[in-house]
Amino acid sequence: RGRRPAASDDPAQATAMLQAIAQFLADSADSAPVSMIAEQGISADGKISMQEAPEGYTYLRLELPFDRAWASVGRALEKSTFEITDRDRSSGIYYVRFLGLAVEKEQGWWASLWNSDDAAPLVGKIFLVSMQTLPEQAVTIRLRPQDESTPFDKRDEQELLIMIKGNID
């Protein structure tokens, strides 16, 4: 094996070659297929929507493969006012406790929703966030109380889903 020099014999030529390679990569980026690693950096913005099932419940539809959706939903729950108490990845279920608004300075529109007497029963309750894979590289995300006797109407369901949706990246 030959010895490699510690530095280029012609720094100007090395710089020109690096610029040429960088320009080639930049020019070919539009036509080259996206690598799996690069694809993982794409955010979920624009790939999530709130929908209503024919059975009447509301759910989120996330246009990502299950692995990426599972990770995104986990991060969103941690950023929201939920505490993950357990998870079952093989079943696609997060068990979460709704904490309500923990920070006093966040008093505002959300505070009016969850600090009222009507919403107090939701604070501290355990919910199931269930994810189901769809054939077209998408996932549905549904939220429902673990205890079916917990008062939970359509408005509560949609507001909690909006909180999760707003934290999915």
Side-chain angles (χ1 to χ4, degrees), residues 6-165:
S8 172
D9 291 339
D10 188 350
Q13 183 183 23
T15 300
M17 288 174 54
L18 285 173
Q19 287 176 340
I21 291 169
Q23 188 61 51
F24 172 79
L25 292 173
D27 291 343
S28 63
D30 291 335
S31 62
V34 177
S35 72
M36 289 180 67
I37 293 172
E39 187 178 15
Q40 290 175 0
I42 298 172
S43 78
D45 293 343
K47 295 184 177 195
I48 187 167
S49 60
M50 187 175 290
Q51 300 186 7
E52 188 166 329
E55 298 81 10
Y57 64 87
T58 304
Y59 65 95
L60 298 176
R61 179 185 170 106
L62 185 55
E63 303 291 330
L64 291 174
F66 181 84
D67 292 341
R68 289 192 51 219
W70 177 262
S72 293
V73 169
R75 284 190 305 273
L77 291 168
E78 290 170 352
K79 288 192 263 182
S80 300
T81 57
F82 291 96
E83 171 190 20
I84 298 173
T85 61
D86 201 0
R87 61 189 94 212
D88 181 352
R89 191 176 187 287
S90 61
S91 298
I93 298 176
Y94 281 100
Y95 298 84
V96 298
R97 178 179 291 114
F98 179 61
L99 301 175
L101 293 176
V103 181
E104 284 295 317
K105 67 181 181 180
E106 288 187 32
Q107 300 298 315
W109 186 71
W110 289 113
S112 68
L113 296 176
W114 284 297
N115 287 341
S116 69
D117 291 338
D118 294 339
L122 295 182
V123 175
K125 297 294 182 185
I126 301 292
F127 291 87
L128 304 178
V129 177
S130 56
M131 299 173 59
Q132 182 178 13
T133 302
L134 300 174
E136 57 274 5
Q137 291 290 311
V139 173
T140 62
I141 303 159
R142 184 174 177 201
L143 179 125
R144 63 189 193 281
Q146 182 179 26
D147 178 1
E148 294 180 14
S149 68
T150 298
F152 192 64
D153 63 20
K154 188 159 210 57
R155 179 178 169 224
D156 293 332
E157 176 185 53
Q158 291 174 349
E159 289 166 350
L160 293 175
L161 284 170
I162 287 169
M163 288 177 62
I164 296 169
K165 180 180 183 270

